[in-house]
Amino acid sequence: MQLRRCAALVLEPCERAEFQLAGLLGGGTGVVTRREWLARAPHLPAAVAVEVDDLPLLGDIGPDDWQDDAVLVARHGAARVQRLREAGLLIDDAPGPARDADEAVRAQHWHALAAVVHAASRWDGEDAPRSMEAHGIANAEGLRERYGPPPPAVRAAHGGGAVLPLPRADPDAFDALLDARTTCRNFDTGALLGRDAFARLLERVFGARARVEAAPGFEVLKKTSPSGGALHPTEAWVIVQRVEGVAPGLYHYRPVEHALERLAWEGDAAALRALARVAVAGQDYFADAHALVVLAPRFGRNFWKYRDHAKAYRVLALDAGHLSQTLQLAATEQGLGAFVTAAINEVGIERAFGLSGCVDGPLAVCGFGIRAATMAKSEFDPNRRVWTRRVD
Ligand SMILES: Cc1cc2nc3c(=O)[nH]c(=O)nc-3n(C[C@H](O)[C@H](O)[C@H](O)COP(=O)(O)O)c2cc1C
């Protein structure tokens, strides 16, 4: 049998605190720290605990050149080789799930550290508000109490140089638009969003404004947001909940035709709302949006140019941020509310839309829709540009 190491691997020395009753009964604190090595490989669903004596074997085999297993067995013992093969850290030359998953990571040209960070930051089944409540950090007072005061809102003057006052411009319509953008946490769950407003927003944010053939077979789209390398790898996967003339369900937006492809989805409105809630990690106020848009880059489109590149993943996060801001401004201009969140259950979203995580992977979820008449969940609108009628 031929073996090689998986494509990307980070070995992390960890220290875990554990409670042991015997220690407490013996007069101590009961808290025992345990050190272990975790092998983090992005093609595996979770980190794998390995022994310190496994490390020489993992360092003795490369990710590219196949090696005869007999050589490794002679050096490190059959049991160790088999255990690391079964864990998916060593890949053998026979087809199988571990090899397929490893090949998928390789084919995208991920930078190894970025692949590990991406895999390690995916959530499955998280409830962000409940978790923050449990840790006492669900509001500003709790945060202040738990962590002390934060670093100041503005950096202190740097070097004592002269401070040059700048002229302030008279506010115009663009300022009014910018000032009215406020993260919406109050959607009208009784109203339907008009189809034209919905379509216009998708067109403005995700639609192609032009197509250019930069080189034979290399098509580039022009959009309203910038994108690293002009590659526009971020796809829009839409959960439609309450839009006139568009059946509730899951869709993929097609930027050139300006069309929605309907995806398989079995379930009623309540099931769709439950999926929206999973997507935004239990944030009910966001799950109420009329439509939610999962921003998920096709990693291979960016990494085709930025191969194994240490900055490529950062560029994808910036791309998603630009799309989010364009979406929020476009929504505000149409009198709608909008939000973005990175507190998302990537794994649940991938399951629902049939994404693989390392080929197409959600980085953020945006949503938009008609604002509710009253503010039940707090929004940050100190200048009262949105909640002008609020009394407090
Ligand atoms: C990347 C990103 C992630 C965010 N995630 C959340 C979130 O998980 N939950 C939430 O309520 N707001 C989230 N927000 C919204 C911020 O809380 C909000 O922008 C901030 O409070 C300032 O308010 P404003 O957007 O109304 O100016 C996020 C914003 C950004 C840019």
Side-chain angles (χ1 to χ4, degrees):
M1 184 200 310
Q2 297 283 297
L3 292 173
R4 66 182 180 190
R5 217 198 57 215
C6 56
L9 174 66
V10 166
L11 292 161
E12 184 188 6
C14 293
E15 194 171 63
R16 285 172 197 256
E18 277 177 5
F19 179 74
Q20 284 183 1
L21 187 59
L24 188 67
L25 297 176
T29 60
V31 178
V32 177
T33 55
R34 196 161 58 83
R35 274 175 291 281
E36 67 178 0
W37 284 90
L38 285 183
R40 295 191 177 274
H43 70 297
L44 297 178
V48 179
V50 292
E51 296 169 6
V52 68
D53 292 338
D54 293 337
L55 306 192
L57 166 52
L58 290 167
D60 196 19
I61 179 167
D64 296 321
D65 292 334
W66 293 102
Q67 273 195 48
D68 210 273
D69 68 328
V71 177
L72 293 168
V73 166
R75 285 200 206 126
H76 303 279
R80 197 177 300 286
V81 171
Q82 185 175 344
R83 194 162 38 76
L84 295 186
R85 192 166 64 80
E86 282 169 4
L89 298 171
L90 300 183
I91 306 294
D92 62 50
D93 52 356
R99 182 164 180 197
D100 290 350
D102 180 60
E103 302 269 332
V105 174
R106 287 168 191 268
Q108 306 310 307
H109 297 290
W110 275 96
H111 185 272
L113 294 179
V116 170
V117 166
H118 178 66
S121 62
R122 282 157 73 240
W123 284 356
D124 189 8
E126 288 287 330
D127 186 311
R130 204 171 296 172
S131 163
M132 287 196 295
E133 284 288 348
H135 290 92
I137 53 169
N139 55 34
E141 291 76 25
L143 278 166
R144 171 67 179 79
E145 198 178 314
R146 181 90 197 257
Y147 300 144
V154 178
R155 191 193 203 281
H158 187 52
V163 174
L164 175 69
L166 297 171
R168 287 188 186 273
D170 291 336
D172 62 11
F174 189 56
D175 292 288
L177 174 66
L178 293 171
D179 286 343
R181 186 218 53 82
T182 291
T183 296
C184 179
R185 295 189 188 86
N186 297 275
F187 290 98
D188 185 340
T189 53
L192 277 181
L193 175 62
R195 193 168 90 136
D196 290 350
F198 169 77
R200 174 172 228 186
L201 192 138
L202 290 181
E203 184 177 16
R204 281 179 162 170
V205 181
F206 300 106
R209 315 295 270 206
R211 286 162 86 180
V212 177
E213 183 138 20
F218 176 15
E219 189 179 50
V220 176
L221 304 182
K222 176 73 182 171
K223 296 193 183 179
T224 53
S225 296
S227 172
L231 291 161
H232 289 290
T234 311
E235 301 285 326
W237 301 88
V238 190
I239 303 176
V240 172
Q241 298 206 95
R242 294 181 311 283
V243 177
E244 222 167 35
V246 183
L250 306 188
Y251 295 85
H252 175 236
Y253 180 72
R254 301 185 59 82
V256 174
E257 299 106 300
H258 178 48
L260 285 174
E261 179 190 356
R262 182 136 198 213
L263 307 173
W265 165 254
E266 298 288 327
D268 57 9
L272 200 58
R273 171 62 170 70
L275 171 62
R277 187 175 190 279
V278 165
V280 294
Q283 300 181 86
D284 282 299
Y285 38 91
F286 286 162
D288 283 341
H290 295 68
L292 294 93
V293 186
V294 175
L295 304 182
R298 270 180 301 137
F299 297 109
R301 168 87 178 166
N302 178 288
F303 300 167
W304 165 79
K305 176 175 179 183
Y306 300 110
R307 285 184 185 218
D308 312 307
H309 199 300
K311 292 197 189 287
Y313 188 63
R314 189 191 301 192
V315 165
L316 296 177
L318 289 167
D319 275 13
H322 285 102
L323 288 166
S324 147
Q325 177 71 353
T326 304
L327 184 145
Q328 297 197 34
L329 290 180
T332 305
E333 193 275 339
Q334 289 177 225
L336 302 174
F339 71 83
V340 62
T341 177
I344 62 175
N345 281 308
E346 289 85 352
V347 177
I349 296 171
E350 288 158 12
R351 252 186 240 122
F353 283 97
L355 308 178
S356 82
C358 87
V359 177
D360 313 75
L363 293 186
V365 172
C366 293
F368 58 93
I370 300 168
R371 281 184 167 280
T374 54
M375 182 165 62
K377 178 78 185 168
S378 69
E379 294 188 11
F380 190 51
D381 183 33
N383 295 324
R384 298 195 181 187
R385 293 294 190 265
V386 179
W387 298 99
T388 48
R389 288 165 292 139
R390 198 178 74 201
V391 183
D392 57 14

